[in-house]
Amino acid sequence: MITFHLARADNGVIGVDGRLPWHLPADLRRFKAQTMGKPMVMGRKTFESFPAPLPGRRHIVLTRDRSWRAQDAEVAHSPAEALALAGGDVAVIGGAEVFALFQAEAVELTEVHCAPAGDAVVPPFEGWRELWREDHAAEDGRPAYSFVRLER
C-alpha cells in the first residue's frame, strides 16, 4: 500500500527553501509514529533537508542524478524502482514533485491552517474520502491544524 505522509497549508504550501514553514511538534511525533519501521520514498532534496537520516526507517531516495550517493540512502531512479526496493507497504514523504509521481491509496495529512509563502506546493486532494479528522486549536504562536486520513 502506498501512503502519502505530509503537512500541507491551506494554500497548498508544503515547504520553503527546503524546510517546513512551521514547527508543529505534534505533527512531527505523528509522522515518526506512522513511518517508524517502514520504507520511506523521498526525493533527493527532501533527504538532504534532514540533519541526519531518520532512525528506524529505510530511506529510498528518488533522483535523476545517476551519480548521486549518500550514506544510509538506497537510490532509485524511477518510481517503479523505488517501489520494487520498498517491497509492500511504503510511505511516500515528498517533496511535491515526488508526490506527483505516485498513485497513493491513502493520505496521512496534517492540514496546517495558515497560508505561508513557499516554493513547494501540493494541490488539494480532491475526490478522496475523509475517514478520520482530529482538529487542534492554535496555541503558543503556532497555527491551528487538523490531522486527517484520506482514502480513495
Side-chain angles (χ1 to χ4, degrees):
M1 176 181 215
I2 299 171
T3 304
F4 290 168
H5 294 265
L6 71 149
R8 181 184 175 279
D10 292 336
N11 63 351
V13 168
I14 64 166
V16 60
D17 296 329
R19 60 182 170 70
L20 297 173
W22 48 74
H23 180 68
L24 296 172
D27 174 55
L28 298 175
R29 286 190 299 274
R30 180 174 187 249
F31 175 82
K32 180 179 181 180
Q34 290 177 335
T35 60
M36 187 58 70
K38 292 185 180 178
M40 299 183 307
V41 172
M42 68 204 76
R44 179 192 50 78
K45 289 186 257 182
T46 296
F47 179 81
E48 290 176 347
S49 74
F50 299 148
L54 304 177
R57 291 155 273 196
R58 288 174 54 207
H59 297 70
I60 300 170
V61 180
L62 191 56
T63 178
R64 291 180 288 265
D65 183 346
R66 297 248 170 218
S67 65
W68 187 87
R69 300 280 179 271
Q71 187 171 347
D72 299 317
E74 299 172 59
V75 179
H77 300 291
S78 71
E81 187 180 348
L83 293 176
L85 282 170
D89 198 14
V90 62
V92 175
I93 66 166
E97 291 179 36
V98 172
F99 289 126
L101 296 174
F102 290 89
Q103 288 291 320
E105 288 93 12
V107 179
E108 293 293 350
L109 177 64
T110 300
E111 294 178 341
V112 185
H113 302 301
C114 62
D119 54 18
V121 176
V122 169
F125 293 97
E126 295 176 353
W128 290 73
R129 192 167 33 108
E130 184 176 308
L131 297 181
W132 177 82
R133 172 179 292 271
E134 181 180 286
D135 297 320
H136 298 268
E139 66 175 299
D140 298 328
R142 293 185 178 105
Y145 58 95
S146 302
F147 293 145
V148 181
R149 178 168 176 86
L150 305 171
E151 286 188 0
R152 286 203 184 270

